[in-house]
Amino acid sequence: MKKIFSLLFPLAILTSGCEYEELQNKQLDSQDGRIFTASFEQSETRTYVENGSLLRWNAGDQISLFDGNTLNRQYQFDGETGDNAGTFSIVNKPFGTGNDLNCHYAVYPYASDVKITENGVITATLPADQNYAENSFGLGANTMVAVTKDIDDTYLKFKNVGGYLKLQLYGENVTVKSITLTGNDNEKLAGKATVIPAYEQAPTLAMSDDATTSITLDCGEGVKVGATEETATAFWIVVPPTTFEEGLTITVTEVDGESFTKSTSNAVVVERNIIKPMAAFEVEIVKIPNNQIWYTSSDGKVVTPYATDVFGANIVSNIYEAGKGIITFDGDVTQIGKDAF
């Protein structure tokens, strides 16, 4: 028997009376009499960002639903990207009966390894790898949980587990491939965690001992940032509630593999369900010219190549200044031959 779980959003201004009536009719056509209605604690919790406001769901969004027992059932959003109301239909129902629960629980996004105890303690994985989305966090990055009042209650009110670190980057001709966030005191940021939802209260979160200490934001083919502070580009990272007592470190990697690191020693606090904007900073990628090789030496002296005709160009100069050696050639370096050094 197919179950239909409904999402009715509280933003009445975005849903016409006709649309609401059609949705109700669709719900009533379900062969299962139980209808689960879902909403969010406030507008900042949607899984899709439109024009800087989090107001919509994505087509294909999935949740784990524990329907009165500890079996993890997989449900998928039936609507289209941008819809603010719709239904979730069951995708996969596991075998078995599970242990009884005294209410209903749900977790976004769906994952087969999400588990729950009879006491309502959820085990889930917070993603260490997140995907870039313009003016938003990436799809599936924003973990949410919901719990009903009791077994007869079918209203799911999703609450965020984490908060949001909003980075703002700018620079001349900089295209970002990825951004890695780490805490300077090795704070736990991703991986296994336990979450305890509470009816009409904020969920509590505890990271496991083997949780990881970094989060990487994948920017796909690359995101070109604004050239000035006024046109800085925003990058969102979903972070568990964390106080970075000794500050944090951001490593920006450009599409060509060059990287830039920015650290702060000041404490940074990321709170649940709150956007933490960071001051805009310039990404200064130092690019090595094609006709040079840069190096360092343990004694601070020039390193002389063993062979000079294995680089595809001739050496013009070799100097060591300010802790860096630079070998300059009369053309592009096309190879570094065997036994060059």
Side-chain angles (χ1 to χ4, degrees):
M1 182 177 296
K2 185 178 181 181
K3 295 184 181 179
I4 301 293
F5 290 75
S6 168
L7 283 174
L8 300 181
F9 292 72
L11 301 180
I13 190 171
L14 297 177
T15 306
S16 68
C18 292
E19 290 174 336
Y20 183 80
E21 184 176 351
E22 288 175 4
L23 180 58
Q24 283 190 315
N25 290 336
K26 184 175 182 180
Q27 294 168 354
L28 295 175
D29 285 341
S30 170
Q31 295 179 357
D32 193 315
R34 177 152 55 200
I35 302 296
F36 281 75
T37 304
S39 67
F40 304 91
E41 55 188 318
Q42 51 182 278
S43 63
E44 284 81 6
T45 60
R46 274 48 173 191
T47 64
Y48 176 79
V49 172
E50 183 179 81
N51 296 326
S53 300
L54 307 134
L55 298 172
R56 305 285 194 254
W57 285 90
N58 286 280
D61 270 346
Q62 294 184 348
I63 61 174
S64 291
L65 198 140
F66 300 94
D67 181 10
N69 61 58
T70 56
L71 284 177
N72 180 349
R73 293 175 170 86
Q74 181 181 7
Y75 281 78
Q76 180 168 301
F77 185 54
D78 297 319
E80 302 295 330
T81 297
D83 287 351
N84 70 300
T87 59
F88 273 72
S89 298
I90 193 165
V91 175
N92 180 42
K93 181 178 180 181
F95 293 105
T97 57
N99 297 320
D100 289 340
L101 298 170
N102 59 9
C103 52
H104 310 287
Y105 295 84
V107 180
Y108 171 87
Y110 169 81
S112 60
D113 62 350
V114 173
K115 294 180 173 58
I116 192 169
T117 69
E118 294 178 58
N119 296 323
V121 179
I122 294 171
T123 301
T125 300
L126 304 189
D129 296 300
Q130 302 178 17
N131 293 318
Y132 168 81
E134 186 175 1
N135 294 321
S136 176
F137 42 82
L139 180 66
N142 186 45
T143 303
M144 298 184 291
V145 294
V147 59
T148 62
K149 181 178 180 180
D150 51 40
I151 202 67
D152 297 319
D153 182 14
T154 56
Y155 184 81
L156 296 169
K157 190 171 185 179
F158 279 93
K159 295 182 180 294
N160 288 325
V161 169
Y164 314 100
L165 190 67
K166 182 181 178 182
L167 306 176
Q168 301 176 84
L169 279 53
Y170 67 96
E172 283 286 347
N173 298 316
V174 173
T175 301
V176 176
K177 177 65 176 177
S178 66
I179 299 173
T180 299
L181 164 70
T182 56
N184 295 340
D185 197 27
N186 294 316
E187 288 84 359
K188 306 289 188 181
L189 301 180
K192 291 292 183 183
T194 55
V195 186
I196 304 177
Y199 181 68
E200 294 191 340
Q201 297 181 39
T204 58
L205 171 72
M207 302 302 297
S208 67
D209 291 339
D210 60 350
T212 60
T213 57
S214 66
I215 297 174
T216 297
L217 183 67
D218 185 348
C219 298
E221 296 299 316
V223 176
K224 188 171 183 178
V225 303
T228 65
E229 183 175 356
E230 292 72 25
T231 61
T233 302
F235 296 84
W236 293 51
I237 300 177
V238 183
V239 181
T242 304
T243 298
F244 297 92
E245 296 285 0
E246 298 181 13
L248 48 80
T249 296
I250 303 295
T251 300
V252 180
T253 301
E254 213 198 12
V255 288
D256 62 2
E258 302 290 340
S259 63
F260 171 81
T261 299
K262 177 76 171 180
S263 295
T264 175
S265 59
N266 298 326
V268 177
V269 180
V270 178
E271 301 178 74
R272 189 195 73 84
N273 202 40
I274 300 295
I275 300 169
K276 176 64 177 178
M278 301 294 288
F281 66 86
E282 183 177 9
V283 178
E284 299 176 286
I285 300 290
V286 179
K287 298 183 185 250
I288 301 175
N290 293 334
N291 70 327
Q292 290 184 347
I293 293 176
W294 294 6
Y295 65 90
T296 59
S297 61
S298 59
D299 59 3
K301 296 181 180 179
V302 167
V303 173
T304 302
Y306 181 76
T308 60
D309 58 352
V310 293
F311 300 98
N314 299 312
I315 296 176
V316 174
S317 64
N318 185 1
I319 61 174
Y320 200 98
E321 294 179 347
K324 178 174 67 179
I326 300 177
I327 304 175
T328 303
F329 297 79
D330 61 4
D332 290 350
V333 177
T334 57
Q335 63 182 12
I336 298 179
K338 183 180 180 181
D339 298 327
F341 292 92

